[in-house]
Amino acid sequence: MKRKRTGLMWSIVIAVILVGAFVLWFTVSSGAIKNSEEFTASVLHFAFVCKDDNYAYFIRMDVSKRMVYVIRFPQYSFNPMTNRALDVTNPLEVFNFAENLIDFTSNKRYYAVVSKEQIDKFSKEVLHRQEENFEKLLRAISERKSKAFDFLLFKKWVSIFKPETTLTPAALAKLLYEVQRNAMRFYYPEAVTEKPLQILVDGKTYQRVYLDANSVQFIRDDIKK
């Protein structure tokens, strides 16, 4: 009987140690994300290039206003107010084009170039259902409730967007956290023409989708409120 009791006691001690070790590891892991530069930043910019749809989504997250601003740009967008053109296949161009349009910058920038397959896989991992495009995925995430063990999954979720991404687990955590708790506003700059126009400049042909100046000005003014 003594041996059985001793064995049971050791089993309980080991179980307590294992549980304590897990709780400590979870606390440290979640704390590392919550205390990171990404998660504690007040303004962050994200760019998601949807290479199958030829769209780019620029996201400005402003914690002080409790707002998330989302602007969708089609390929070959051209801002007549600044004479700037956009190639959505280059995420750095998306940042420059969008920040010039809204007249705001951020030193926290993260991007991902994603395919439909990656969006599908990410939505199944996070939402346990399929979303057909990035916008629907973002709207669905805004209605999702955070779970305690999300902090253990951000690294895995970020890996879905590799190799074309600068997202970190903490940056993704920040994106999901703020989208879920703040108001989100979508903008779709109006185009003057439905299809891209071919422009000849110095012997080179460029395609441009001219954005309506009034639409651009409205977006800029609305975000500055």
Side-chain angles (χ1 to χ4, degrees):
M1 287 294 290
K2 289 184 178 180
R3 289 182 179 179
K4 289 184 178 180
R5 289 180 180 177
T6 302
L8 178 60
M9 184 169 60
W10 275 110
S11 296
I12 294 173
V13 170
I14 292 172
V16 170
I17 292 174
L18 290 175
V19 171
F22 174 79
V23 171
L24 177 62
W25 173 71
F26 176 78
T27 302
V28 171
S29 299
S30 59
I33 288 180
K34 291 180 179 178
N35 297 321
S36 65
E37 291 184 3
E38 299 97 312
F39 203 84
T40 55
S42 58
V43 176
L44 297 91
H45 286 176
F46 297 86
F48 286 86
V49 175
C50 302
K51 54 187 177 183
D52 294 321
D53 299 325
N54 283 325
Y55 280 111
Y57 289 85
F58 170 79
I59 302 173
R60 175 176 170 83
M61 192 173 292
D62 191 332
V63 176
S64 65
K65 295 182 180 179
R66 301 206 63 172
M67 286 294 303
V68 177
Y69 305 98
V70 185
I71 309 175
R72 188 185 71 179
F73 295 107
Q75 175 64 304
Y76 308 123
S77 292
F78 185 85
N79 184 353
M81 299 178 67
T82 58
N83 290 324
R84 293 180 70 104
L86 171 64
D87 178 6
V88 299
T89 62
N90 185 341
L92 298 181
E93 284 283 332
V94 176
F95 285 124
N96 293 333
F97 185 85
E99 290 174 350
N100 185 268
L101 186 149
I102 65 174
D103 199 24
F104 281 116
T105 60
S106 172
N107 62 353
K108 297 297 180 185
R109 291 166 147 195
Y110 305 93
Y111 71 77
V113 180
V114 299
S115 64
K116 286 185 177 181
E117 288 76 16
Q118 287 172 306
I119 291 174
D120 179 49
K121 185 176 181 180
F122 184 81
S123 63
K124 287 179 179 177
E125 286 282 346
V126 179
L127 302 170
H128 305 294
R129 68 174 189 267
Q130 182 178 346
E131 294 296 341
E132 61 186 40
N133 58 49
F134 179 77
E135 182 174 332
K136 289 186 177 181
L137 171 63
L138 199 61
R139 291 182 184 274
I141 288 174
S142 70
E143 298 174 358
R144 176 184 181 270
K145 292 183 179 180
S146 297
K147 299 176 182 178
F149 291 102
D150 282 353
F151 289 100
L152 305 181
L153 299 171
F154 287 123
K155 185 176 181 179
K156 177 184 177 183
W157 292 346
V158 165
S159 68
I160 296 173
F161 296 127
K162 291 183 177 180
E164 296 181 90
T165 185
T166 59
L167 281 170
T168 63
L172 181 61
K174 180 69 169 180
L175 176 63
L176 268 61
Y177 176 71
E178 298 298 346
V179 163
Q180 290 165 357
R181 78 186 191 105
N182 292 328
M184 189 161 50
R185 190 169 297 170
F186 285 82
Y187 301 94
Y188 312 93
E190 296 179 10
V192 177
T193 58
E194 291 185 6
K195 296 182 179 180
L197 297 177
Q198 290 192 346
I199 307 297
L200 187 64
V201 180
D202 295 331
K204 294 183 179 180
T205 301
Y206 299 91
Q207 295 191 74
R208 289 177 178 173
V209 175
Y210 284 86
L211 303 181
D212 180 75
N214 291 329
S215 178
V216 170
Q217 189 63 51
F218 170 79
I219 294 172
R220 175 181 291 199
D221 292 343
D222 198 58
I223 293 177
K224 284 185 176 181
K225 289 180 181 178

